[in-house]
Amino acid sequence: MTTIGMLHHRKDPKSVIKSYAYAAVAKAEGVNFFYFSPGVVNFVNRSIRGQVYENGSWKEKIMPFPDVIYNAGSPEKLAKSKEIIDKLKSEIPFTTNSIGNKWNITERLMEAKEFASYLIPSEVVKNVENFYKFISSFHKVVLKPIDGRKGKGIFFISEIEKGYEVRKDSDNVFYTREQLNVFLEDKLSSGTFIVQPYIQSVNKSGQVYDFRLHVQKNGEGKWVITTIYPRVAPNGSIIPNINNGGFTNYLDPFLLQEFKEEAFDIRRMLEHFSLSLANHLDEIQMVKYGEVIDEIGIDVGLDENLKIWIYEVNWRPGCPPAFYLELDVVIHSIQYAKFIAENQTKITKEISKVKRKKIEEKGEIPIIAITGSAGKTTTKAFLASILSKRWNIFESKDYWNTTEHTKKHAAEINDAHEAVVLEYGMAYPGVITEHCSIIRPNISIVTNIGLAHVGNFDSDIRGVAHAKSELIHGMDQEGILVVNKDDENSKYLETQQFKGKIMTVSTKSPANYRAYKIQYKENGMSFKMRLQRQEIELFIPILGEHHVYNALNAIAVADYLGFTPMEIKAGLIFRKPPRRLTIYNCRDNITVIDDTVHSHPQGVRAALDVLANIGKQRKIAIIGQMRELGELREQEYRKVGDYVQEKGIDILITYGFRTEEIGAQAKAKGFPSKNVYHFLNKEQLHELLAEIVEKDDTILIKGASKTNMFDTVKFLDQTFKE
């Protein structure tokens, strides 16, 4: 006869309501059953001082080690006895293995891909700034504790005019930005929170609802549906959890009332989804940990298109709110515990089989290489951020784009990586060919063809395009290539012999991926586009219309790889590369714009666009030397001077060899001579800034790393520190 031991952190079974139900069902199923806590285990004689239910009361008895342990206690409280529990697990099979908290489960599903499209994008809120980026993109969000249960501690936050609305249960409170800062800092100091876009299901009466899908393994080790039931929030509330005043209903009457003739199909859809997801999570547990799981509760909603969205997955769901269903839960638990006690060899073989299958299924992974005269690092950062929402990726470090770096990357990429995202830089012919010989990409992005390094190609833009085309020739010839349709010089790219698929991005004309209604926001850019047959609004937390192209490059690849609009939207809230249009807010409302990594004519004009768009009062441009322009230097400097005048800049300061040509051209076009300065000495430049910078000024510093223009950023930040 099988013996089941019920492990709980509480010593007294009378304090655990379900212990009686388990004892009663075990007796009916012909199973020995006792209750125990970690402190009563004796490993010397393999016995446990447990509690047995006999003749209407619990009695203490010395019991032998059970055949299986039903793991019923709180993981957090049982963690105090980890050594004892780990030793028990090494000798006795356990039921109810943990699949982690809300964030762990989300990460697993994203990584495994199959159910990722049903997930609402989530982020761990690392700081207040991180939260504001998220709400800038989604406008209505849910903030909830990572380890929360029973609907506790959930806040719904909406952007509204002049502030934010924070809702908990049925209470609404208006917050200014400053008040919300205090609120968020208080919450983040008390624990870890995640943020998600707010997606809700609403019934015909205007009440929020969701579905609880409760599934378990039965006495044959197969997943079965214990119950599916709707949970409806009380009027005025948006949390349908039963513990927060929500109520439930029988599934069929609810579906008939809400969906009429579609009721049957929706029921079948929910049933199929619950069993499929349970099997999927079970496989993940086998592959990752060599364990099986046996019970989960899945909370889902349906949007207006009847698409399923996963709100939460709980591996220790509460019993359904009806006694006969509670007994169903117990019956399945007891029968399954008996099954694993008697079938350990079978379960071990099944785990090995699943692991082998996963290894065999893993084919060629996406290897994505990005080149171009500008935008490589930002495109890479956008794409890596999106892909990491679901996959374990290898991402090259920012600006690590030489062939020596690529050799290091080749040694670091391993079987655990599910996608690779790299930059391929070059300054001379043949360099990208060498990159491709080290790591051959199957997906490539050419951001644009500009004047960076053009002096190394006889000052001929077609020479730059030819060198960039080495990526097209060196990649998988049946792969995917993304190019910028709006970039005039990209027409020189050598695509004629390429047999793969070419995808285009644009903001000005029809393309595979086109952005429109582009707007500057307080801390980034917003734009709209059509993606997967729907119009969506997107937000990127970096300034400049040129960065919209970088986002489009990433969107094109992510869409091709099967990522959902929601995942893409969340992934665009990325970690911005340093010193790329970074904003410093100084005292007296002075704003400093740091763009001091690279400098070429195209990038200078893009930075001036940002200055012109965000400048509050006086706009000051500090422009450093642009290298490797060759014979085009004088011509391109004059074009920049023209652009300074055209964009309405108030003060122009140039720094470095021959950059006075920019100021001379600006003056020739009518720019006031008294507002033009030129320096070869940085200390003198800083002395001028200390003298002329005023309240409300916006100052752009644009220069390449080699000219050390970041020194000027540091000087301004320190001089005008708040």
Side-chain angles (χ1 to χ4, degrees):
M1 184 181 287
T2 302
T3 299
I4 299 174
M6 181 179 183
L7 171 65
H8 204 283
H9 59 276
R10 292 180 188 157
K11 296 178 181 178
D12 186 357
K14 294 191 291 295
S15 66
V16 180
I17 297 171
K18 65 181 179 181
S19 62
Y20 167 75
Y22 277 82
V25 171
K27 187 171 185 180
E29 292 288 326
V31 173
N32 288 328
F33 179 88
F34 68 91
Y35 177 101
F36 74 103
S37 57
V40 297
V41 179
N42 186 328
F43 286 100
V44 175
N45 58 17
R46 291 178 57 81
S47 66
I48 296 174
R49 188 161 30 90
Q51 301 277 337
V52 178
Y53 193 80
E54 290 180 348
N55 302 319
S57 63
W58 291 94
K59 296 179 181 175
E60 187 176 290
K61 278 192 175 183
I62 302 299
M63 302 294 292
F65 272 16
D67 300 300
V68 61
I69 292 175
Y70 172 62
N71 184 16
S74 159
E76 294 79 17
K77 292 177 180 174
L78 286 173
K80 297 174 184 174
S81 308
K82 185 177 185 302
E83 188 176 340
I84 295 170
I85 291 167
D86 286 346
K87 200 167 181 181
L88 283 171
K89 280 187 174 181
S90 69
E91 300 186 34
I92 305 166
F94 270 53
T95 71
T96 322
N97 287 306
S98 168
I99 58 174
N101 59 32
K102 295 177 176 66
W103 184 246
N104 299 142
I105 296 168
T106 296
E107 284 186 318
R108 289 187 190 188
L109 289 173
M110 283 194 263
E111 183 180 321
K113 305 179 184 67
E114 190 176 330
F115 280 81
S117 63
Y118 299 98
L119 289 168
I120 302 173
S122 303
E123 292 277 353
V124 173
V125 184
K126 296 174 183 173
N127 51 50
V128 172
E129 181 185 358
N130 180 228
F131 171 85
Y132 282 119
K133 288 179 181 177
F134 205 89
I135 201 168
S136 292
S137 185
F138 291 101
H139 309 307
K140 290 184 177 182
V141 300
V142 180
L143 183 73
K144 57 187 177 184
I146 200 166
D147 289 309
R149 294 192 70 214
K150 300 182 179 180
K152 302 294 185 184
I154 297 177
F155 298 91
F156 298 81
I157 306 176
S158 304
E159 266 188 331
I160 58 175
E161 191 174 353
K162 296 183 180 178
Y164 302 86
E165 182 180 81
V166 178
R167 185 169 189 169
K168 187 176 186 299
D169 300 329
S170 56
D171 298 325
N172 286 345
V173 180
F174 173 81
Y175 282 81
T176 64
R177 176 98 171 204
E178 292 73 23
Q179 290 169 329
L180 187 60
N181 286 344
V182 174
F183 168 84
L184 290 169
E185 285 169 0
D186 177 62
K187 292 299 168 192
L188 297 182
S189 67
S190 67
T192 304
F193 281 74
I194 60 176
V195 63
Q196 299 174 322
Y198 178 41
I199 296 173
Q200 65 177 7
S201 305
V202 180
N203 67 14
K204 289 178 179 176
S205 301
Q207 293 166 287
V208 172
Y209 74 90
D210 66 12
F211 294 101
R212 164 58 63 89
L213 319 176
H214 195 136
V215 289
Q216 293 177 275
K217 281 184 178 169
N218 64 10
E220 297 176 357
K222 297 186 184 336
W223 286 102
V224 294
I225 298 168
T226 305
T227 182
I228 297 176
Y229 57 94
R231 304 182 301 180
V232 184
N235 285 323
S237 176
I238 48 180
I239 300 179
N241 195 289
I242 306 300
N243 292 282
N244 285 300
F247 59 91
T248 186
N249 196 348
Y250 291 105
L251 180 63
D252 287 334
F254 179 83
L255 293 178
L256 282 169
Q257 174 185 302
E258 296 298 324
F259 302 105
K260 296 193 167 108
E261 65 274 3
E262 294 178 291
F264 177 77
D265 290 341
I266 292 172
R267 180 188 179 112
R268 292 301 299 273
M269 177 175 72
L270 293 171
E271 289 172 343
H272 175 75
F273 183 84
S274 59
L275 292 174
S276 299
L277 181 59
N279 277 297
H280 186 62
L281 284 168
D282 203 14
E283 284 193 355
I284 294 172
Q285 191 80 3
M286 292 183 209
V287 172
K288 276 186 169 291
Y289 300 106
E291 299 174 341
V292 291
I293 56 175
D294 51 76
E295 181 179 17
I296 55 172
I298 311 158
D299 298 336
V300 303
L302 297 177
D303 65 19
E304 64 272 14
N305 299 313
L306 301 184
K307 172 179 166 51
I308 293 177
W309 290 98
I310 300 172
Y311 293 148
E312 287 185 8
V313 179
N314 300 288
W315 62 276
R316 297 174 64 250
C319 280
F323 184 71
Y324 78 91
L325 288 175
E326 183 174 347
L327 282 180
D328 283 351
V329 171
V330 177
I331 290 167
H332 289 319
S333 297
I334 294 292
Q335 290 177 343
Y336 178 69
K338 185 178 177 183
F339 169 82
I340 65 170
E342 298 169 356
N343 292 275
Q344 273 302 289
T345 302
K346 181 179 178 180
I347 291 169
T348 301
K349 285 183 178 178
E350 178 64 20
I351 292 171
S352 297
K353 179 182 172 184
V354 169
K355 283 186 172 183
R356 280 199 312 274
K357 181 184 172 188
K358 287 295 179 188
I359 292 169
E360 290 167 2
E361 283 177 353
K362 191 169 183 179
E364 184 184 56
I365 66 170
I367 298 176
I368 304 143
I370 304 161
T371 195
S373 298
K376 292 186 294 294
T377 301
T378 308
T379 293
K380 183 214 64 170
F382 274 130
L383 183 55
S385 178
I386 297 170
L387 299 189
S388 64
K389 296 297 167 194
R390 193 191 300 177
W391 294 344
N392 176 32
I393 68 160
F394 180 90
E395 174 191 3
S396 60
K397 294 179 183 177
D398 293 341
Y399 319 125
W400 276 44
N401 58 22
T402 69
T403 53
E404 289 305 308
H405 291 138
T406 301
K407 289 175 186 175
K408 291 179 181 178
H409 298 152
E412 293 169 354
I413 296 165
N414 59 53
D415 289 342
H417 295 121
E418 296 169 288
V420 175
V421 188
L422 306 168
E423 291 181 55
Y424 284 180
M426 72 93 208
Y428 298 94
V431 174
I432 292 181
T433 297
E434 186 179 352
H435 279 295
C436 292
S437 71
I438 302 164
I439 301 177
R440 187 189 191 209
N442 45 39
I443 299 175
S444 296
I445 299 170
V446 182
T447 60
N448 48 49
I449 304 299
L451 296 175
H453 311 301
V454 71
N456 299 334
F457 296 90
D458 297 325
S459 302
D460 186 348
I461 195 68
R462 286 171 295 189
V464 177
H466 177 69
K468 298 293 185 186
S469 296
E470 292 175 16
L471 180 60
I472 302 170
H473 303 316
M475 68 178 289
D476 179 348
Q477 290 302 288
E478 295 185 350
I480 301 297
L481 173 65
V482 180
V483 297
N484 184 338
K485 189 178 178 183
D486 295 343
D487 178 45
E488 184 65 22
N489 295 325
S490 288
K491 69 185 179 186
Y492 297 123
L493 287 170
E494 297 159 9
T495 60
Q496 298 84 358
Q497 305 301 315
F498 182 66
K499 297 175 184 176
K501 182 177 182 180
I502 299 176
M503 301 191 298
T504 55
V505 302
S506 172
T507 67
K508 298 172 182 174
S509 59
N512 298 113
Y513 297 89
R514 183 188 179 189
Y516 51 90
K517 294 189 177 175
I518 300 168
Q519 294 182 320
Y520 277 80
K521 298 291 185 180
E522 180 183 352
N523 52 353
M525 309 294 294
S526 72
F527 58 94
K528 291 186 177 181
M529 68 180 298
R530 289 198 65 80
L531 189 62
Q532 298 178 19
R533 298 182 182 177
Q534 59 179 299
E535 182 182 67
I536 60 171
E537 182 180 345
L538 298 164
F539 171 80
I540 54 174
I542 186 170
L543 293 164
E545 291 188 35
H546 57 299
H547 286 308
V548 174
Y549 286 102
N550 300 329
L552 288 172
N553 291 327
I555 291 166
V557 173
D559 181 50
Y560 169 78
L561 293 174
F563 282 69
T564 66
M566 274 290 200
E567 289 171 322
I568 290 168
K569 192 169 187 175
L572 290 177
I573 306 167
F574 75 145
R575 178 191 60 81
K576 185 170 74 66
R579 296 164 54 191
R580 294 295 182 104
L581 293 167
T582 300
I583 302 297
Y584 291 76
N585 294 307
C586 302
R587 73 164 189 262
D588 297 329
N589 205 27
I590 294 167
T591 303
V592 175
I593 307 171
D594 171 15
D595 199 18
T596 58
V597 175
H598 298 304
S599 190
H600 46 77
Q602 184 181 10
V604 171
R605 286 191 286 273
L608 288 168
D609 285 341
V610 173
L611 175 61
N613 274 280
I614 73 166
K616 298 178 284 285
Q617 295 294 330
R618 288 199 314 172
K619 295 177 279 291
I620 302 173
I622 306 173
I623 300 174
Q625 182 182 0
M626 291 170 267
R627 296 168 179 260
E628 296 182 341
L629 291 177
E631 295 174 3
L632 297 180
R633 190 206 70 246
E634 188 176 343
Q635 171 186 320
E636 292 302 322
Y637 276 16
R638 285 201 302 268
K639 287 180 182 177
V640 170
D642 291 342
Y643 207 68
V644 167
Q645 169 66 8
E646 180 184 322
K647 299 306 290 186
I649 306 305
D650 297 291
I651 295 175
L652 171 63
I653 303 171
T654 56
Y655 172 76
F657 178 67
R658 302 295 293 269
T659 54
E660 68 271 20
E661 295 169 5
I662 299 172
Q665 181 65 19
K667 287 188 283 187
K669 289 289 184 175
F671 198 93
S673 297
K674 63 184 178 65
N675 290 344
V676 177
Y677 302 88
H678 172 69
F679 293 96
L680 295 174
N681 181 294
K682 203 169 287 177
E683 289 182 6
Q684 292 174 358
L685 165 61
H686 294 172
E687 287 173 7
L688 174 75
L689 291 173
E691 183 182 319
I692 69 167
V693 172
E694 299 177 356
K695 183 177 182 295
D696 297 324
D697 281 350
T698 302
I699 309 160
L700 166 70
I701 302 94
K702 177 63 180 174
S705 296
K706 291 179 180 178
T707 58
N708 297 316
M709 297 290 285
F710 187 62
D711 292 344
T712 301
V713 176
K714 289 190 288 186
F715 170 78
L716 288 167
D717 184 48
Q718 292 164 3
T719 304
F720 300 100
K721 204 175 188 92
E722 283 196 272

